[in-house]
Amino acid sequence: MATQTTPQNVAEHATQTRQLKSRGLQLLGLFGSQNEPQALLRLPSGRLRRVSAGEQLSAGRVLAIDPQGIILERKGTARRLVMPGS
């Protein structure tokens, strides 16, 4: 079986360097159906967690998940987390 390497131009287009912060809550991915979207988050502790709308995190309650990211509400203030590099 032959081993193939990724062409340099493909690797450059597929790789985003320095897009994730080393600390804090990070949105890593969005997936699921349009009716039941989910998000993959990296928590400040470094652990990964899959969340759905309505779930409670230490950073706030997940109000919504849409194709642009997730909306968190904490103490009456909403904020959006977007995909790194977008």
Side-chain angles (χ1 to χ4, degrees):
M1 180 179 235
T3 303
Q4 293 182 336
T5 59
T6 303
Q8 183 66 30
N9 67 329
V10 173
E12 289 172 2
H13 284 92
T15 304
Q16 297 178 2
T17 58
R18 299 178 202 166
Q19 294 299 316
L20 292 177
K21 299 174 189 171
S22 60
R23 299 180 188 264
L25 183 66
Q26 294 288 309
L27 175 59
L28 299 180
L30 300 166
F31 55 94
S33 69
Q34 190 173 8
N35 294 334
E36 294 183 33
Q38 295 182 325
L40 182 63
L41 302 174
R42 186 180 73 188
L43 304 176
S45 66
R47 297 182 71 155
L48 300 180
R49 182 163 170 191
R50 182 181 0 187
V51 297
S52 300
E55 288 192 46
Q56 184 67 43
L57 304 167
S58 61
R61 186 170 58 92
V62 179
L63 290 178
I65 301 173
D66 61 28
Q68 288 73 44
I70 71 170
I71 301 172
L72 294 172
E73 183 269 330
R74 184 174 184 186
K75 297 181 181 179
T77 301
R79 70 176 175 130
R80 177 179 285 280
L81 288 178
V82 297
M83 289 293 295
S86 56

